[in-house]
Amino acid sequence: MKYEILKLTNQPIFSTIQDEGRFGFEQFGVPNSGSGDKISFRLGNLLMNNSISDASIEILYGNTSFECLNDTQICITGSNMDPRLNGMPIKMWQTVNIYKGDKIELGSSKNGLRSYISVKKGIEINKILDSRSTHSIFNLGGKKLNMGDIISSSSVHKKNNLKKINFLRNIPNFNETEKLLHVTKGPEFNLLSEKSIKIIENNKFKLSNRMSRTGAQIEGEKLELKNGKSDIISDGVSAGTIQLPKDGNMYVLLEDSQRIGGYARILNFDTLSLWKIAQLKPGDEFKLKIISIEEAHQRLKENNDIFFKNNVHTEEKINENIFYVEGEEINVKIFGENNELIYVNNKPLKIDF
Amino acid sequence: MNYKFFDISDRTISFNFSDNIDQTINSKIVEISFEIDKKRRHLDIVSCYPTYNSLVIDYDPINIERNVIINRISELIDNFEFKNSNSDELLEIDVNYGGGYGEDLKSVSEITNLSEKEVIKIHSSVIYHVYMIGFSPGFPYLGGLNKKLICPRLDSPRQVVPAGSVGIADKQTGIYPFESSGGWRLIGRTDENLFDNNLVSPSILKPGMKLKFNEI
């Protein structure tokens, strides 16, 4: 069974269907693709009680609007694009009830690059090579979304379930002022000149406009290799690998990148920083810190404990009241740990205490 | 077989078998990779693929320790029984060389001190070995390029390389099945479709196969 859930009512800047990624086809040259900010993406699926491999909508830059075609729940995570339901601000990082005819609007991104909309049971679309992820260049699998496209799911929420709302105890912080990204040493790190290593450790860098889901140029003082060469025998690379072509500008590979590369692999963003870069916009500045593989794993595990262990709580204790104003029925539901969540006629009212 | 391993990232390890491009070693890596790929779930690895001289292993560090992966893969390599199962299948591919089809034929001719005609003749007279597929879906890295044609990559990669472009870089030649960015010097173009995502193994060319270019 397939249920139509959302219809795109404007032309998004760049929105695609993404899941965890496409693995196992690297030997045929197939890139991994998948969601860029895996923390936000996974938290979306977690809040929806979905499987980790279910697909969501990845919205870059924002300015995307939808019409709801069925009563169900969705969840918006990632960058804050000032989401609104029928003109009213709605909360992110929690499940939200939507009803047929509702209008969802996302404005421009405030504190990151990507938002995710998760739906119950994930988005229903044919798997290509075992994944629903979209490759942005090769048009392999998934879908680049256009105005008029309809998003379907294999399930909708039953009326009873709409009373339960899932929340997070810990929400990722998108508002750090000083961005510090962690890197591990790449296989060709030792070819860097002393001067270049000092530049990496001390300087500020900037994400350039030359950026896509396959990779991004990093702007900063140019680096050099001791032997002057930048070519290697083409070998394995991964998302997060920083290559140094002969022009001396670092180039970071992102989620849609190839898995074989021929330029010196000087550094590699650790997995946690890779997910963080996915939320950086062209022009954003950051510093680099070189860490060991062990430290990278430690960071990843700590992050996993914070966001993916006992982070979701479900609210079922709902105080429901019906008021009559000038003969019109108004349904008010109040719930949440501090009664901070108020729904008027089943639409969430955004109040920040 | 002797090998060393190093971390490409905090979730990717490369087992490196040689500092040079060697067809015999590559064939063995391809065979090991194929076997490991079949046992992915059992070994708790995410994916596995061969390069010229390395075996690349992806793992999920949240679920498994790096040392466990290294031990499992090392043990598998150390006890591997080679069957030499590489195919000798030959695929011939028609290529339009030069002009608008191969914008860098001129620079290759200048770097190599050969005429454009000589470059074409040398490039299309060799039977190449498919070492690996990568860079883009179905992109074959072909070994056996005549030493006279060795050229460095472009200093800065091109933003758009047309689909079907035949390029050379260093000791390698290859084909871009999809439009993409790329730093190889383009000498021609083919209409052959090298990738079909409806197939279980979607790349028409596979590591271990042979390929020859025909000038049209």
Side-chain angles (χ1 to χ4, degrees):
Chain A
M1 194 64 196
K2 203 167 159 179
Y3 298 90
E4 294 185 341
I5 291 181
L6 298 169
K7 182 181 175 177
L8 276 93
T9 50
N10 77 341
Q11 181 58 37
I13 300 169
F14 189 85
S15 295
T16 54
I17 308 287
Q18 298 293 344
D19 59 16
E20 273 289 306
R22 187 170 280 110
F23 295 93
F25 299 93
E26 295 83 355
Q27 56 186 317
F28 306 117
V30 179
N32 296 128
S33 301
S35 48
D37 171 10
K38 290 274 193 303
I39 299 176
S40 300
F41 166 79
R42 288 176 184 171
L43 286 174
N45 271 336
L46 199 64
L47 282 161
M48 296 302 303
N49 292 325
N50 285 348
S51 131
I52 193 164
S53 57
D54 282 333
S56 303
I57 308 172
E58 184 182 84
I59 297 164
L60 267 69
Y61 303 103
N63 295 319
T64 307
S65 57
F66 302 89
E67 185 193 329
C68 304
L69 306 177
N70 238 313
D71 297 1
T72 186
Q73 280 190 331
I74 60 159
C75 172
I76 305 173
T77 61
S79 165
N80 183 1
M81 296 180 179
D82 193 16
R84 283 164 189 270
L85 187 65
N86 301 327
M88 301 273 277
I90 43 170
K91 288 217 167 182
M92 297 176 56
W93 310 100
Q94 68 172 57
T95 49
V96 173
N97 295 337
I98 59 167
Y99 299 89
K100 192 176 176 179
D102 281 354
K103 308 258 183 288
I104 300 170
E105 289 165 291
L106 281 83
S108 57
S109 186
K110 283 178 168 174
N111 53 3
L113 181 67
R114 304 167 200 234
S115 281
Y116 295 90
I117 298 184
S118 314
V119 305
K120 188 174 163 66
K121 292 270 181 193
I123 291 164
E124 185 59 42
I125 188 170
N126 280 346
K127 280 189 176 182
I128 298 291
L129 303 175
D130 214 20
S131 166
R132 296 185 174 90
S133 284
T134 315
H135 190 280
S136 56
I137 310 278
F138 307 133
N139 270 328
L140 189 74
K143 193 164 179 31
K144 260 190 220 177
L145 297 175
N146 291 307
M147 187 162 91
D149 282 346
I150 287 171
I151 307 289
S152 297
S153 161
S154 60
S155 177
V156 288
H157 263 271
K158 295 198 185 85
K159 282 259 171 346
N160 287 344
N161 289 343
L162 288 173
K163 284 193 171 175
K164 293 181 189 168
I165 305 283
N166 290 341
F167 303 91
L168 294 179
R169 293 190 169 87
N170 300 313
I171 293 173
N173 176 17
F174 278 70
N175 299 318
E176 294 161 296
T177 43
E178 181 76 356
K179 293 219 162 58
L180 181 68
L181 299 176
H182 295 72
V183 288
T184 55
K185 291 175 182 176
E188 281 76 54
F189 177 84
N190 292 334
L191 298 181
L192 283 167
S193 69
E194 292 292 323
K195 192 184 157 210
S196 295
I197 294 173
K198 286 219 167 70
I199 293 171
I200 290 165
E201 284 170 338
N202 300 317
N203 284 25
K204 258 192 179 174
F205 297 94
K206 197 162 91 176
L207 213 55
S208 104
N209 288 323
R210 272 186 69 178
M211 176 184 165
S212 68
R213 274 182 51 95
T214 54
Q217 194 163 309
I218 296 171
E219 286 175 4
E221 203 173 323
K222 292 196 179 199
L223 305 181
E224 59 185 13
L225 297 175
K226 279 185 271 192
N227 62 4
K229 270 183 76 177
S230 64
D231 293 4
I232 58 163
I233 295 176
S234 288
D235 200 4
V237 292
S238 73
T241 296
I242 302 176
Q243 294 184 310
L244 189 68
K246 210 174 180 182
D247 63 13
N249 295 310
M250 290 193 278
Y251 189 87
V252 56
L253 301 176
L254 297 175
E255 54 276 5
D256 278 353
S257 88
Q258 69 268 22
R259 293 303 309 270
I260 287 174
Y263 294 113
R265 300 157 293 182
I266 54 168
L267 298 164
N268 200 96
F269 285 104
D270 79 335
T271 301
L272 214 47
S273 294
L274 174 66
W275 296 341
K276 222 179 214 182
I277 294 176
Q279 290 291 5
L280 297 190
K281 286 180 281 205
D284 281 353
E285 289 188 327
F286 55 87
K287 287 194 80 175
L288 296 173
K289 186 184 180 195
I290 299 172
I291 58 167
S292 68
I293 296 287
E294 290 73 22
E295 286 170 304
H297 288 168
Q298 193 55 36
R299 273 165 44 79
L300 196 58
K301 282 174 186 162
E302 281 164 14
N303 179 79
N304 198 55
D305 289 346
I306 294 169
F307 293 117
F308 298 100
K309 285 194 178 151
N310 305 318
N311 194 18
V312 175
H313 67 98
T314 304
E315 188 55 66
E316 291 176 81
K317 285 177 280 176
I318 298 173
N319 298 318
E320 191 169 353
N321 294 291
I322 294 169
F323 300 94
Y324 292 92
V325 179
E326 290 174 7
E328 215 173 301
E329 184 183 306
I330 298 174
N331 174 302
V332 179
K333 291 190 183 98
I334 301 171
F335 52 102
E337 279 177 0
N338 302 307
N339 286 330
E340 77 276 26
L341 296 149
I342 302 169
Y343 274 56
V344 177
N345 286 339
N346 292 317
K347 308 282 156 52
L349 195 66
K350 189 177 173 180
I351 299 171
D352 288 316
F353 290 95
Chain B
M1 280 174 91
N2 292 324
Y3 59 92
K4 52 185 189 277
F5 54 81
F6 46 80
D7 300 280
I8 292 176
S9 73
D10 62 1
R11 58 188 189 289
T12 306
I13 304 173
S14 176
F15 290 79
N16 179 265
F17 292 82
S18 169
D19 292 331
N20 305 305
I21 298 177
D22 182 304
Q23 199 173 309
T24 316
I25 291 174
N26 173 263
S27 296
K28 288 186 172 176
I29 296 169
V30 169
E31 211 178 318
I32 297 173
S33 175
F34 184 64
E35 195 58 31
I36 291 179
D37 183 58
K38 284 196 287 191
K39 295 180 181 164
R40 268 198 293 150
R41 267 172 227 283
H42 175 68
L43 292 165
D44 281 325
I45 61 165
V46 176
S47 49
C48 161
Y49 61 97
T51 69
Y52 275 117
N53 46 21
S54 303
L55 178 69
V56 181
I57 305 283
D58 286 347
Y59 64 105
D60 180 358
I62 294 172
N63 294 326
I64 193 149
E65 294 291 324
R66 172 178 174 273
N67 283 343
V68 175
I69 294 291
I70 290 169
N71 291 340
R72 280 186 192 168
I73 301 298
S74 303
E75 201 182 303
L76 202 142
I77 297 169
D78 295 341
N79 299 312
F80 200 82
E81 287 175 29
F82 294 97
K83 297 182 196 83
N84 195 16
S85 58
N86 282 335
S87 78
D88 276 331
E89 200 183 331
L90 174 72
L91 189 76
E92 294 196 36
I93 284 180
D94 292 338
V95 179
N96 278 302
Y97 282 98
Y101 297 110
E103 285 178 46
D104 301 320
L105 183 61
K106 198 161 175 273
S107 77
V108 170
S109 151
E110 281 160 11
I111 292 165
T112 58
N113 277 320
L114 296 165
S115 71
E116 293 190 10
K117 270 190 175 174
E118 284 170 314
V119 171
I120 295 167
K121 197 178 168 221
I122 294 170
H123 188 260
S124 60
S125 64
V126 175
I127 291 180
Y128 296 98
H129 174 80
V130 180
Y131 276 89
M132 56 183 181
I133 310 291
F135 182 72
S136 63
F139 183 112
Y141 285 83
L142 304 168
L145 186 72
N146 190 302
K147 279 183 184 150
K148 290 178 190 162
L149 295 188
I150 292 174
C151 282
R153 283 178 181 74
L154 299 171
D155 285 350
S156 193
R158 252 194 197 90
Q159 284 293 308
V160 180
V161 174
S165 293
V166 176
I168 58 179
D170 203 12
K171 295 169 191 160
Q172 319 158 97
T173 181
I175 310 162
Y176 289 85
F178 287 83
E179 184 183 294
S180 66
S181 61
W184 292 27
R185 290 178 197 268
L186 310 181
I187 57 168
R189 207 179 300 170
T190 176
D191 291 333
E192 198 83 30
N193 184 16
L194 295 178
F195 192 83
D196 180 353
N197 61 34
N198 295 310
L199 302 176
V200 183
S201 63
S203 175
I204 307 305
L205 288 161
K206 289 162 193 66
M209 277 174 67
K210 308 285 175 201
L211 185 144
K212 189 181 174 298
F213 294 108
N214 294 325
E215 186 193 2
I216 53 167

